[in-house]
Amino acid sequence: MVSSSHEAMHRIFQDYPGLFSRVSEVLSIPFPQATAVTVLPNDVTETKPVDRRIDTLLQIDTKEHGPFLLAVEAQKKKDPEKPASWGYYLAYLRSKYRLPPLLLVVCQDRGTAEWATRPEPIGFCSWPSLTVRPIVAGPHNMPVITDPDEARTDLALTALAAITHAANPDIGAILKALSTALRDVPEHVADPLIEFTAQGLGNRPARYLWRNLVAVDLSFYKSYISEEIRDEGREQGRAQGRAEDVLLVLEQRRIDVSDEVRRRVTECDDPEVLRHWLTRAVTVPKAEEIFEEE
């Protein structure tokens, strides 16, 4: 199942097509300045039984070197089969559009980013017929933006950087810089960035922090998106309190709570499920038994 953070990591390029120029600058990979960007269909299915879809596909026009294609892929974990798919995408796009294709892979953890960076030869023995070499943006090379003034210079880049640094210990300062910078922009500009950031943080603890910042720093925005994120933050706050109650009851009954049980309880954001676990925590002889009869 495609997660919301996966969607945010590539769809932000659809809403802010000029973002690739800024990302390439940050990564010190020079490309000509774009003069126009077109979102293209992402379906690269060749035959009916095999469905292949690039996450986001853009045509970027440049003044000096003409157009090229940019395929943006969000990658959440290492997948040894993925480079073959990427090679297929690039060959297919070159054949279909007769334009040079590039692949940008966006990651949220350093291990996946470093894996994706390695060139992948496709061939036999010492003769690679094709080498897949994506551009990779992730926590290993995206900027840590904690200055609101710097964030204001490029809000889309700041939002993408925050998404890639979702697990960074400094994520609080990164999100604070973004929320502060968004105070100065019109609501229609801020709304999609607020939503992309919320989606991109996924189920990480930073998601709750972002909703708090939206509720406090951006409370004057009254759009549907802002209100929904604030409501989710309040609901998540209630869920967090109920999760603490579940663990407290177990601990007061002197029942051992394993790391796995603690993780599962604290990561749950469904108040009804937590209420069920809390009810069972009063009587079960083992902590693991609170999860029965879900």
Side-chain angles (χ1 to χ4, degrees), residues 205-231:
R207 176 185 178 185
Y208 181 54
L209 174 59
W210 179 240
R211 278 153 175 74
N212 277 343
L213 288 170
V214 172
V216 176
D217 290 351
L218 306 173
S219 59
F220 50 87
Y221 287 149
K222 300 302 180 184
S223 67
Y224 171 77
I225 291 172
S226 299
E227 290 291 350
E228 183 179 48
I229 289 174
R230 280 193 283 271
D231 287 343

Side-chain angles (χ1 to χ4, degrees), residues 82 101 156 176 180 246 258 289:
K82 201 64 178 181
K176 180 63 177 176
T180 301
V246 172
S258 67
E289 292 184 16

Side-chain angles (χ1 to χ4, degrees), residues 134-177:
I135 300 168
V136 180
H140 67 305
N141 59 5
M142 289 294 284
V144 176
I145 300 173
T146 58
D147 182 354
D149 289 335
E150 183 181 358
R152 288 185 188 96
T153 63
D154 197 318
L155 293 170
L157 180 69
T158 302
L160 179 65
I163 291 169
T164 60
H165 287 292
N168 190 307
D170 293 326
I171 187 61
I174 296 169
L175 294 176
K176 180 63 177 176

Side-chain angles (χ1 to χ4, degrees), residues 129-294:
S129 299
L130 173 69
T131 299
V132 179
R133 185 170 174 243
I135 300 168
V136 180
H140 67 305
N141 59 5
M142 289 294 284
V144 176
I145 300 173
T146 58
D147 182 354
D149 289 335
E150 183 181 358
R152 288 185 188 96
T153 63
D154 197 318
L155 293 170
L157 180 69
T158 302
L160 179 65
I163 291 169
T164 60
H165 287 292
N168 190 307
D170 293 326
I171 187 61
I174 296 169
L175 294 176
K176 180 63 177 176
L178 178 57
S179 67
T180 301
L182 288 174
R183 294 177 189 170
D184 304 329
V185 301
E187 194 164 353
H188 72 276
V189 175
D191 271 352
L193 293 168
I194 291 171
E195 184 176 20
F196 275 128
T197 304
Q199 290 179 344
L201 296 174
N203 292 321
R204 291 174 171 82
R207 176 185 178 185
Y208 181 54
L209 174 59
W210 179 240
R211 278 153 175 74
N212 277 343
L213 288 170
V214 172
V216 176
D217 290 351
L218 306 173
S219 59
F220 50 87
Y221 287 149
K222 300 302 180 184
S223 67
Y224 171 77
I225 291 172
S226 299
E227 290 291 350
E228 183 179 48
I229 289 174
R230 280 193 283 271
D231 287 343
E232 288 179 8
R234 286 189 283 268
E235 186 67 22
Q236 190 167 356
R238 288 192 289 270
Q240 187 178 50
R242 189 161 287 176
E244 293 172 355
D245 290 341
V246 172
L247 297 174
L248 180 61
V249 168
L250 293 171
E251 290 166 358
Q252 288 295 313
R253 294 182 59 217
R254 300 186 184 279
I255 293 178
D256 290 335
V257 179
S258 67
D259 290 342
E260 175 60 23
V261 169
R262 188 177 300 276
R263 181 196 63 76
R264 188 170 173 184
V265 170
T266 55
E267 290 183 358
C268 180
D269 57 5
D270 187 329
E272 287 304 310
V273 172
L274 287 165
R275 184 182 65 80
H276 174 69
W277 292 349
L278 180 59
T279 301
R280 291 189 57 78
V282 177
T283 58
V284 293
K286 294 182 179 180
E288 289 75 10
E289 292 184 16
I290 66 171
F291 304 128
E292 294 180 2
E293 302 176 11
E294 294 183 35

